[in-house]
Amino acid sequence: MFKSFQVKINILSIPRFALCLLCSAFTQSTLAADSEVLTESESTAREVFRAVPLPPNFHVEATELEGPVFADRNGKTLYTWPQLKLRNGYSGEAAGNTACYDKVITVTAGLMSPYPPGLQLPELDTRPSCTDLWPPVLAEGNAQAIGNWSVVLRRDGARQWAYKEQPLYTSVRDKQAGDTYGGSRRRRGADGGGDGDSPAGRVPAGPPPELPPGFAIKTTSMGRLLTTNQNYAAYAFEGDSIESSACVDACLKERSPILAPALAKAFGEWSILERAPGINQWVFRGAPLYTYTLDPEPWSQVGSDEPGWRNVFTQAAPVIPSSFTLQHTLAGTVLATADGQTIYSYQCGDDSVDQLACDHPEDTQVYRLAICGGGDAQKCGEHWPYVVAKDSQTSSNRAWSILNIDPSTGRLAHAENPRGIRVWAFRDRPVYTFAGDQRPGDVNGAGTGEWRGKRNGLLAFWVRDDYMKGIQ
């Protein structure tokens, strides 16, 4: 019954580094083990940012998943819509230009091959406009540019705030200060770009992190990952201390200390270790930093697979629900239910000019129902059941929450709705299991849908972003 949903892995097509994962799939450290080697300050720390000039009524808000972000006077996160090259053109906003308005778009744009432009979009009677979901952050008449903040003129004559020339918006999905349900920096390049298969989504805007030159930060499933400015992961060794390094001799064949310039000075969470006369190494929160010479590509984290080594995060991701487990697969570790069923998230962005998301319970469910059950909600429930939360279960953070969903519609259910069920959600979107997975570690549903699930489909919840790069 489920053959059409299965993903077959050809071992000959797997990059060489991934074969190491295949050989050690059942001996890899789990996320729980990784968190045990974090210091107490690292597991609870929040990312430090550089102070930048701000217009009145704006401030910086700490968030669980995206680090520090800019927020309005009500604490609502500010987002940009950076221009992204898709398969058949560009979407998003070029610097200094606004493209999000109150006109309801009725047809597809044809930006995603092979779908042609001009096809009617679903549920036009209830379809929102871009500004219904993304209210522009308007500037008062006397507002003045400051620092990287400027004011752009909209076609309707209104004045809108912009940061680094990108117009700013809030999201109706965010309900309280610190929410970032509208969009993410995850799966974005250092320049804000993507790979062309994913929609041109919205990205939280925020201040620069407080880092020495030569470093950067990447949002990942495990937290805000510290990298070099070439996007290679920084690592720490458990045998090191703030005053000494145990990585010497043979260790240095695969690990390169991240060196500090001769004139560099300690500041904030950063200090310097003198490895030898005139040779200084950067230290973050008491841990000397290294790169891994065998990392196959930017943002790889395979250097943490070796015992004693770990990735470094400016802040860790929120804890997962206590009822969830981690399961090893042939391609990495996935999040799973208590009985080992792989957990999947649903991704969706429609092919309209305004690139509206369609993965939230308050969005149209037409796309999801088509992918999971050929338009039949009952078949969706059979093929892709929700991860149900028990009445006694609660979440300790906002990254993971429990929603009341009507499975017959996929929409949020009112308390009096007898069909409503309590389901687990990540970033305010329900998560699922796949009926085609027969045993713990199966990921037969991974990449189901358009463009391996990136535009409209389901992705396995990989614990680490460098697993199964082909379908992330």
Side-chain angles (χ1 to χ4, degrees):
M1 178 192 301
F2 303 106
K3 184 176 179 181
S4 61
F5 291 98
Q6 293 179 354
V7 174
K8 301 185 186 301
I9 300 175
N10 179 356
I11 194 169
L12 295 179
S13 68
I14 299 176
R16 201 169 105 185
F17 84 90
L19 293 178
C20 299
L21 295 176
L22 295 176
C23 298
S24 60
F26 296 99
T27 59
Q28 293 181 53
S29 60
T30 65
L31 179 60
D34 288 338
S35 64
E36 289 173 3
V37 300
L38 293 176
T39 66
E40 182 177 354
S41 62
E42 286 173 319
S43 62
T44 59
R46 286 292 176 262
E47 185 177 309
V48 179
F49 58 91
R50 291 211 323 261
V52 295
L54 295 172
N57 301 321
F58 295 111
H59 66 277
V60 176
E61 192 79 36
T63 72
E64 292 180 338
L65 295 170
E66 301 293 336
V69 301
F70 294 131
D72 65 12
R73 68 178 70 189
N74 298 315
K76 297 198 73 173
T77 298
L78 307 186
Y79 297 85
T80 62
W81 186 23
Q83 191 172 69
L84 182 66
K85 186 178 187 303
L86 302 178
R87 290 176 175 266
N88 288 329
Y90 290 85
S91 185
E93 292 177 331
N97 294 295
T98 57
C100 181
Y101 287 93
D102 60 0
K103 178 182 178 181
V104 175
I105 304 300
T106 61
V107 296
T108 60
L111 295 171
M112 292 299 295
S113 169
Y115 310 114
L119 300 178
Q120 182 171 301
L121 292 163
E123 298 182 348
L124 292 180
D125 55 333
T126 58
R127 180 178 172 82
S129 69
C130 183
T131 54
D132 286 335
L133 296 181
W134 296 98
V137 181
L138 299 180
E140 296 178 354
N142 60 351
Q144 298 293 318
I146 179 173
N148 285 318
W149 297 74
S150 58
V151 176
V152 297
L153 190 65
R154 295 175 57 80
R155 291 200 305 262
D156 54 14
R159 303 171 81 237
Q160 182 175 354
W161 280 110
Y163 182 71
K164 293 185 176 179
E165 298 188 78
Q166 290 293 147
L168 294 168
Y169 301 85
T170 58
S171 170
V172 299
R173 301 290 177 238
D174 294 340
K175 306 302 183 186
Q176 56 183 311
D179 284 351
T180 53
Y181 298 144
S184 177
R185 297 163 175 156
R186 190 177 169 195
R187 302 194 182 103
R188 288 276 182 165
D191 60 355
D195 60 7
D197 288 340
S198 300
R202 278 65 175 178
V203 181
E210 188 175 57
L211 301 172
F215 287 92
I217 294 174
K218 170 74 170 176
T219 297
T220 73
S221 59
M222 294 177 66
R224 296 273 287 165
L225 179 71
L226 183 66
T227 73
T228 67
N229 59 359
Q230 283 81 38
N231 304 318
Y232 283 90
Y235 297 92
F237 183 48
E238 65 180 16
D240 285 357
S241 72
I242 192 171
E243 298 175 343
S244 64
S245 170
C247 182
V248 295
D249 301 330
C251 175
L252 296 177
K253 293 180 179 179
E254 295 184 354
R255 307 285 171 168
S256 295
I258 301 180
L259 300 181
L263 298 179
K265 295 183 178 180
F267 67 96
E269 300 173 303
W270 294 83
S271 57
I272 295 172
L273 167 66
E274 187 176 31
R275 292 185 63 90
I279 301 178
N280 297 325
Q281 181 176 4
W282 280 115
V283 177
F284 179 65
R285 293 178 185 162
L289 300 177
Y290 306 80
T291 55
Y292 183 49
T293 59
L294 300 183
D295 266 342
E297 59 191 346
W299 295 313
S300 167
Q301 296 170 250
V302 299
S304 64
D305 293 334
E306 186 176 330
W309 290 89
R310 61 176 174 84
N311 290 110
V312 179
F313 298 90
T314 56
Q315 67 178 62
V319 297
I320 62 176
S322 59
S323 60
F324 289 2
T325 64
L326 298 171
Q327 298 294 328
H328 298 301
T329 78
L330 289 179
T333 306
V334 292
L335 197 60
T337 60
D339 59 359
Q341 289 287 101
T342 296
I343 290 174
Y344 297 85
S345 62
Y346 174 60
Q347 322 286 315
C348 185
D350 67 27
D351 191 21
S352 61
V353 171
D354 44 16
Q355 296 280 284
L356 299 184
C358 38
D359 52 12
H360 192 276
E362 294 182 354
D363 297 330
T364 178
Q365 297 297 299
V366 168
Y367 299 107
R368 185 184 65 85
L369 293 173
I371 290 293
C372 66
D376 187 326
Q378 182 175 344
K379 289 182 179 179
C380 274
E382 295 169 356
H383 296 173
W384 295 93
Y386 291 100
V387 179
V388 176
K390 296 179 180 179
D391 291 341
S392 60
Q393 292 177 328
T394 59
S395 176
S396 61
N397 53 66
R398 277 184 273 167
W400 289 96
S401 59
I402 296 174
L403 303 179
N404 202 33
I405 295 289
D406 182 347
S408 68
T409 64
R411 302 274 189 170
L412 295 174
H414 298 294
E416 62 273 12
N417 186 336
R419 293 192 298 266
I421 57 174
R422 299 175 82 243
V423 306
W424 280 106
F426 179 69
R427 299 187 70 250
D428 216 28
R429 277 79 169 171
V431 291
Y432 309 84
T433 57
F434 179 49
D437 290 340
Q438 301 300 313
R439 60 186 63 84
D442 281 355
V443 285
N444 295 321
T448 296
E450 302 172 16
W451 309 116
R452 291 181 170 179
K454 290 183 178 181
R455 169 160 286 272
N456 175 20
L458 293 111
L459 297 176
F461 203 111
W462 300 103
V463 170
R464 218 171 69 188
D465 286 13
D466 60 339
Y467 292 149
M468 292 297 283
K469 182 182 178 233
I471 56 174
Q472 285 283 17

